[in-house]
Every structure is written in C-alpha cells, then in structure tokens.
Amino acid sequence: MVLKKRLEYGFSGCSVPVIPRGPRSVRKRGSHKKTLEDSRSCAFELLAAVAGKLLQESESSTSSNVAEGLHPSSIHNGGIKQEQLEKGEALKSECRDQGSWVESVFSSELAPRKRNLESSFGEFPRAVSDTVLEGTSVIPRSKISTKVRHDLKLEIPENKTAAENSPGKVEGGSPNCGDIGRQIKAEGNPNHNVDLTVAINSNSKDPMEIHVNITDSLINSDTSVQLPSYGDSVPNASFPRHKNNVKLRGRVDDENPVGCNVYRSKTRAIRPQTCIGHRRVRKLLASKYWKVAPTLEDCEFSDSDGCMKNVNRCRKAPSTSEVIQCLVPLKKRKLCNHNSTLARDPEGSSESISNSPEKGVKGEKTSPAKNLGRAKVVSSSVVGHQTSLKSRDSHVKFSIKSFKVPELCIDIPENATVGSLKGTVMEAVTAILQGGLRVGVVVHGKKVKDDNKTLLQMGISHNDDLGTLSFTLEAGSRIASQPPNRKEVPILLTCETHHQFSRSAAMESEVLNASFDPSPANNVVNHVETNHELVPSTHEVIKDGTAPDSRALVAVPAVSVEALAVVPVNQKTRRCELVQRRTRRPFSVSEVEALVEAVEKLGTGRCANIRIVIICLLWRDVKLSAFENTDHRTYVDLKDKWKTLVHTATISPHQRRGETVPQDLLDRVLSAHGYWSHHQHKLHGKHLINLL
DNA sequence: CTTAGGG
DNA sequence: CCCTAAG
C-alpha cells in the first residue's frame, strides 16, 4: 500500500502511470486483472538489482521494512517502473522462462490464487534478494517423491516417570548427521551445485513424502553445508560446514502457521495478502533467519503466552517473527490463538479448552473469575474420578501415528547419478529421522524437566485430558550432550489434541481418533460441545459413551528436523480444514430488538450521526444488561445482522427462514433503514454540494 | 481499526 | 459468518 501510493505519486525520472481510482466497488472488482504484457523485459534483472539494494538495507533494518513494502528509494534506484511491478504474472512467467529458482518462489504448488499486487510489491524483491544472496540462480529443476512411513504406538504405565515416558526411540537406525554431510560431499562436483530440496511430509493419508527440487546453482560458490535451523548447534566435527558443496537449507512451506499469537480477544490480526508467491517469498525470507533460530531449550514453545511470543523473544533477528506473523493467514493464526489460549491455562486440564475466550463451556466468553472457578471445580472432579479409576486401569495409552518432516534443501552436483541422488536423499532423510532423538514431555504447556516425576504427578492419567500432553523431539544424544548453552536442535514432535496444536516452529500433530471414558460426563460433554466443530469424531465417540476403556489417543505428530526452532512445518490442507468457524449464534428476537433500537437511535454507517461502532458498544451494553456476555457480537456481526434484517424485512414472510422475527420489528427495521439511508443520501448530497 | 460489500 | 479491499 505504501509502495503503491508512492508510486502513484511518482518518482522523478520515472514515468509512472497513475492508476485512476474508481469507486470502491469498481476498484475491488477489476483492480487486479490488468496485465501489462509489454513490461516483461527486464523485470527480473531490475528486481534483482533492487534486491541487492534492499538486501543491503535489510541488513540493518527491521522487519517493518518488509511489512511496509519495498522502500521507495530502492525502487527508484532499481529503476523499476510501476507497470513492471504490477505485472505479477509477467514476473512469474519471466522467472519461469529462465527456469530459475525463482519459479519455485512464485509458482505455487497449490492452486493458483488471486494475487495481490500491492503486497507483491513489497515482497517480491525481498525474495529475489534472498535468491541472490544464496547464490542459487538456477537452471534445471526436478521433483522427486519418495515415501516413508512411521508408526509408533506407545503404552505407558501411569506410574512410569517422565523419563521413562520418553524413550527417545524413533524407529530406524541412526546414521548421524555427519554421515550425510560426508556422503553428499563425496558425490559432490566442485563445479556445480545442485540445489536439492527435500520436503518430507506425512499425514494420516499420505505417508511421508519427500519432494526434491533440484536446481543447478551457477553462482553458489559457497560450498559449505548450511543447516540453518541447526545453526551452530551442530558441531562442525560431525557436520562439516566448510568446503562441501552440499547445502541443506531449511524452507518454510505453504500453509503453515508459523507460530501462535497471543490471543487478543478483540483484535483481528493483520491479514496477509494471500499470494502463493508471497508466501514462498516470505518463507525464503524467513528461512534466512533460521540460521539464528533458537532452540527449544531457549524457548519453550508451548510456554504460557503462546509460542509465537516465545519465538519472537528468542530469535536473534526480531524482524522475522513479525514478518512471519504477518504471513500467517488469519485463519491459521486464529487457530494458534486458540491454542495458545489453551496452553496458557496452567490448570485448565480438560477444561482448558473451554476457557478459550471465544468459546466457553456455554459457548460464550466468560469472565476470568468465572473461568477460574469453573476450572477449579472441574479439575477437582477430574481428580476424584481418576483416583476412583486408578485401580482399574493405570495405563495411559496413546499412539503416535506418524511423524512429519518438513522440507530440506540439499545441494548435489548435477552430474551425480540418479542412484547417488537416491542415496543422498535417503541418507539425508534417515540421518534426520534417526540422529538420536531425545523426547521431551510437555504438560500443560510446560516442559517437564524432572524425569523422576510420575505421570500421575504430572497430571497425566488414563482418564485425564491428554490434550494437555505433548511431546517434543529434540536433538539426539550427541547434540544433547553439548554444554547447555549450546544451541540445540529441537526436533519437535508433538502429540496433541486438535485444539492444541500449539504450533511452535516445527510442531505438528494431529489426533486422528480419540476416545475417552464416558464417566466424566459433564466435563467431557461440555468439552465436546464447545469443540465439536473441531473434532467431530471425538464428539461422536463421547456422546455414544461407547468409548473403550483404553482411551487411546492416536496422534500424528511431526518430526521437524529443520524448521525446528523457528518456523512452521509443511502443513497443507488439513490444517485449513480444521480452521474453526465461529459457532453460529443466531440473533434472538430480543437481540434483534436491541439492535433495531440502537440503529433507530444511532443510525448506520459512516454518514450517520454516530458511527455504528457506537452501536456496537451500545449493543453490548444492552446485551450485557439483558443477558451478559455478548463480546461475541462484533460490530461486523451487528452490521451483518442489520444487513440480513433489512433483507428479511424486504422479502415476503413466507420466504423467511430461521427464527421468525416479529413483523413489527421488521417494520421498524425497514423504517429505520429507510430513514438512515435517506439521511445518508441527504448528507452525502450536502457533502457534494460543499465540495462544489 | 473501521467500513462496506461480496461470498 | 467469513473475507477483504479500501479508507
């Protein structure tokens, strides 16, 4: 936005066409469809130049630069014209023509989405700068997929200690990281580097997938192994960083929340302009900072205030998290918010879900005091229950369905054989998966460091809510044996319930199926009701009450080897599917009445005497006096409701559905609407006259 | 953040 | 209700 405005007003020396602005609706429809076919020529070069500039600037600047877009001066220096910048498509195809890495930046693996040019202004050059920086100006490219699968099942007696609960075993052998390095080195060709991206994904449907992007690096003379996320944590001895043409580079994938935000009840997070290219870009950008990624040791992701905050705090490049935060689509962040809210409640246990401000047990936000009281009640009831059941079944059962591993990047000579490529990939994957992992246990968002505590002592029992339990996979013994202040490679594995994907960096897990004892009926049912949209299967299971005793919790956690401390994992659609829509809360007649009354008083819209936001307040006041707890009615809701009310009032009664609004109310709606719209027009007319 | 309007 | 461009 900033950029665009600046451009519109032009830079001396550049002929900058000003895009005429039509009415909002017109602009909205057509603004992005323009194409400038003749501006393709040197966009890439120009952008690269700009990137260089920007890169220099970015060295010392903060992320705000990124958020705000490319600095005008950079543009000016780069000689970029607006039309070129606006030609998102042109840029893309340009890049594709060159077969460069940039293509992967701009072409999405997902379905193409609407591009937002304005945001691309700000981000594209950044991406290029990354590319330039990395020296991976590339030529050929290919993709490889392989599959791996991991299935773990755990059954742990409750009286086992946390340490015992963390067997630290992940199936498979364990060549260490150093082996990868050497292996690839052996096959390396000093003349060419192939940028090989390995993405390992797995979920319930797809076993682990490994995508490999091979790109021939022309520029990259830096032959060191780069494992940004490992950073310095990997001892050089075992993972040579020099004189090796293997390059492992972390990358962030699309569709991945980066972290959790602190929940702000009334704050809607900045929404990113959705553009796959941008995401790619952002992620590349973010990846730059992985090199300074903190470790789990440094910041506990599930920690009280939400992982994003922690990531934020820990990262040496403070800008990244801000950037990333902006990159995370709101939906996902909402999820994170939800989670962090949950995680924040230290004693919530099974009740913590319900303490989400957006969704209480009654589906409404409740006061802290109320929450507190309720939580206490619930937890005590849980305790009572678990003691009564203790003798019957003292095992906590759950299984970890699979791990998920994010993308990796590997450089390999282009003249390497396919066989060696396979071997290389295999080495990399196995090394990553098996490099001696350490399991951490996180209960109620806090990492349990005392290995001698029993599960029961930690509140982990077979009939407890396992949603508060999660695991982390951390670097294996080799790295773990480092001095504490050394950075650790937190390979995170989580085992969480749906509502608890505190998606710190690389955490990833999913409950495929969960069943509980039907006994704590009230508690569980409440829990379910408030979350049934999120976890339908759980809902059914619990409602049936037919759940087996075992309370098996099957989770699909992820091993993120890479993104580890900072960044998100590859999580495509499924997480999106889980995005929670607010529960539908039809307006009651009394609410409608209150709304009508408020609108009658205050009017609607911009030109009314008082802005509708005041209506919101008034509305809330009215509601509070009547029913309490109406924070879930935002001004947007009220606006929408008013919209539908007007519509309802307009249509014939037999066409109306849902709760029937009394006709007299509808009449009032119509009259108020007519009055205010008339008033608005009058005011608008006056305004026009004044202008003339 | 708010407004407005489409989905 | 959600989303998001525009202000």
Side-chain angles (χ1 to χ4, degrees), chain A residues 61-367:
Chain A
S61 63
T62 63
S63 67
S64 59
N65 282 356
V66 181
E68 292 171 12
L70 188 60
H71 193 283
S73 65
S74 300
I75 296 159
H76 185 59
N77 291 332
I80 291 186
K81 295 176 183 177
Q82 182 187 11
E83 39 201 314
Q84 289 167 329
L85 285 175
E86 287 224 337
K87 190 64 170 57
E89 283 303 317
L91 289 176
K92 179 183 172 183
S93 41
E94 190 74 18
C95 298
R96 181 179 294 141
D97 291 343
Q98 302 191 14
S100 80
W101 166 279
V102 180
E103 178 192 347
S104 68
V105 172
F106 281 84
S107 62
S108 163
E109 303 149 0
L110 306 175
R113 297 189 189 176
K114 185 172 64 181
R115 285 193 154 66
N116 183 296
L117 294 175
E118 288 189 4
S119 61
S120 65
F121 292 159
E123 333 252 28
F124 174 61
R126 206 57 189 276
V128 175
S129 72
D130 249 283
T131 306
V132 172
L133 173 71
E134 306 261 11
T136 48
S137 165
V138 189
I139 298 180
R141 188 164 172 259
S142 64
K143 276 209 167 186
I144 300 174
S145 274
T146 59
K147 307 230 169 188
V148 181
R149 179 156 197 122
H150 293 263
D151 238 61
L152 293 185
K153 295 217 169 179
L154 307 174
E155 179 167 338
I156 302 164
E158 277 177 52
N159 52 6
K160 286 258 185 176
T161 67
E164 291 167 310
N165 196 9
S166 316
K169 290 179 197 162
V170 179
E171 73 179 83
S174 59
N176 60 26
C177 293
D179 289 337
I180 324 176
R182 284 191 285 275
Q183 165 77 17
I184 302 176
K185 180 182 181 180
E187 292 163 0
N189 179 327
N191 298 324
H192 295 282
N193 291 325
V194 174
D195 191 315
L196 191 155
T197 302
V198 185
I200 309 167
N201 304 320
S202 91
N203 53 36
S204 54
K205 294 166 189 168
D206 308 320
M208 202 165 291
E209 281 185 359
I210 305 172
H211 298 288
V212 183
N213 294 334
I214 306 178
T215 51
D216 183 8
S217 169
L218 296 180
I219 302 175
N220 191 358
S221 59
D222 172 10
T223 57
S224 65
V225 175
Q226 293 183 15
L227 270 182
S229 53
Y230 284 68
D232 293 328
S233 65
V234 180
N236 286 346
S238 60
F239 217 129
R241 293 173 64 91
H242 306 293
K243 300 307 172 192
N244 188 315
N245 66 339
V246 176
K247 182 173 181 180
L248 300 181
R249 180 177 31 175
R251 271 222 265 157
V252 190
D253 255 292
D254 290 333
E255 306 301 334
N256 281 306
V258 171
C260 302
N261 293 333
V262 178
Y263 181 86
R264 273 172 261 139
S265 64
K266 283 189 169 182
T267 304
R268 309 202 86 174
I270 303 165
R271 243 168 289 231
Q273 313 288 1
T274 38
C275 168
I276 293 301
H278 305 157
R279 294 230 200 105
R280 261 344 219 188
V281 169
R282 292 174 186 129
K283 283 155 185 176
L284 280 179
L285 182 135
S287 70
K288 260 175 74 176
Y289 296 98
W290 293 8
K291 292 165 186 170
V292 295
T295 67
L296 186 70
E297 220 48 76
D298 296 323
C299 62
E300 296 180 5
F301 292 107
S302 316
D303 193 5
S304 53
D305 275 338
C307 43
M308 192 62 203
K309 195 172 176 182
N310 291 306
V311 169
N312 218 341
R313 184 182 64 218
C314 301
R315 202 168 306 148
K316 284 180 184 173
S319 56
T320 311
S321 60
E322 294 174 38
V323 173
I324 292 174
Q325 178 167 353
C326 294
L327 315 185
V328 181
L330 177 67
K331 279 184 174 179
K332 297 165 192 165
R333 262 178 280 126
K334 275 181 175 176
L335 251 173
C336 283
N337 291 343
H338 189 71
N339 298 332
S340 58
T341 303
L342 301 176
R344 211 186 314 157
D345 181 3
E347 65 175 348
S349 64
S350 58
E351 182 64 4
S352 61
I353 292 123
S354 306
N355 286 337
S356 163
E358 277 229 329
K359 279 194 162 190
V361 164
K362 293 174 182 174
E364 290 183 353
K365 182 177 178 181
T366 50
S367 69

Side-chain angles (χ1 to χ4, degrees), chain A residues 174-184 187 210 248 408 410 420-435:
Chain A
S174 59
N176 60 26
C177 293
D179 289 337
I180 324 176
R182 284 191 285 275
Q183 165 77 17
I184 302 176
E187 292 163 0
I210 305 172
L248 300 181
L408 299 179
I410 302 174
S420 68
L421 172 61
K422 288 179 183 174
T424 303
V425 173
M426 198 56 207
E427 288 288 334
V429 172
T430 52
I432 279 161
L433 292 177
Q434 302 158 3

Side-chain angles (χ1 to χ4, degrees), chain A residues 325-564:
Chain A
Q325 178 167 353
C326 294
L327 315 185
V328 181
L330 177 67
K331 279 184 174 179
K332 297 165 192 165
R333 262 178 280 126
K334 275 181 175 176
L335 251 173
C336 283
N337 291 343
H338 189 71
N339 298 332
S340 58
T341 303
L342 301 176
R344 211 186 314 157
D345 181 3
E347 65 175 348
S349 64
S350 58
E351 182 64 4
S352 61
I353 292 123
S354 306
N355 286 337
S356 163
E358 277 229 329
K359 279 194 162 190
V361 164
K362 293 174 182 174
E364 290 183 353
K365 182 177 178 181
T366 50
S367 69
K370 278 192 174 181
N371 274 342
L372 200 60
R374 187 173 58 232
K376 280 176 181 171
V377 170
V378 169
S379 59
S380 61
S381 74
V382 166
V383 169
H385 182 65
Q386 77 190 8
T387 42
S388 67
L389 287 178
K390 185 179 176 183
S391 56
R392 194 178 70 186
D393 183 355
S394 59
H395 281 220
V396 182
K397 298 176 184 176
F398 53 91
S399 74
I400 299 167
K401 196 76 175 181
S402 66
F403 299 137
K404 193 170 282 188
V405 177
E407 253 182 41
L408 299 179
C409 297
I410 302 174
D411 276 16
I412 192 171
E414 81 179 317
N415 61 355
T417 65
V418 172
S420 68
L421 172 61
K422 288 179 183 174
T424 303
V425 173
M426 198 56 207
E427 288 288 334
V429 172
T430 52
I432 279 161
L433 292 177
Q434 302 158 3
L437 299 175
R438 219 177 46 174
V439 174
V441 175
V442 177
V443 179
H444 292 175
K446 289 184 179 175
K447 194 176 176 183
V448 180
K449 293 182 179 176
D450 186 355
D451 286 347
N452 294 320
K453 285 190 176 177
T454 67
L455 299 187
L456 260 185
Q457 285 173 323
M458 295 311 300
I460 304 169
S461 65
H462 69 283
N463 57 332
D464 195 5
D465 180 9
L466 295 180
T468 60
L469 170 65
S470 63
F471 298 101
T472 61
L473 266 192
E474 299 161 15
S477 51
R478 228 169 6 91
I479 295 174
S481 63
Q482 292 173 33
N485 58 344
R486 288 301 302 261
K487 285 197 172 176
E488 186 180 34
V489 184
I491 298 171
L492 301 179
L493 179 158
T494 63
C495 173
E496 304 165 306
T497 57
H498 266 265
H499 26 272
Q500 247 224 327
F501 356 91
S502 34
R503 296 187 45 81
S504 58
M507 287 176 147
E508 184 94 324
S509 75
E510 186 150 346
V511 175
L512 296 180
N513 184 8
S515 53
F516 300 83
D517 284 333
S519 327
N522 286 338
N523 183 24
V524 173
V525 166
N526 275 342
H527 161 116
V528 165
E529 281 177 354
T530 56
N531 292 279
H532 65 276
E533 294 182 24
L534 210 53
V535 199
S537 59
T538 306
H539 190 192
E540 289 169 14
V541 169
I542 295 173
K543 280 232 161 176
D544 293 356
T546 56
D549 229 26
S550 62
R551 283 196 58 165
L553 175 63
V554 183
V556 183
V559 172
S560 164
V561 189
E562 255 279 288
L564 306 190

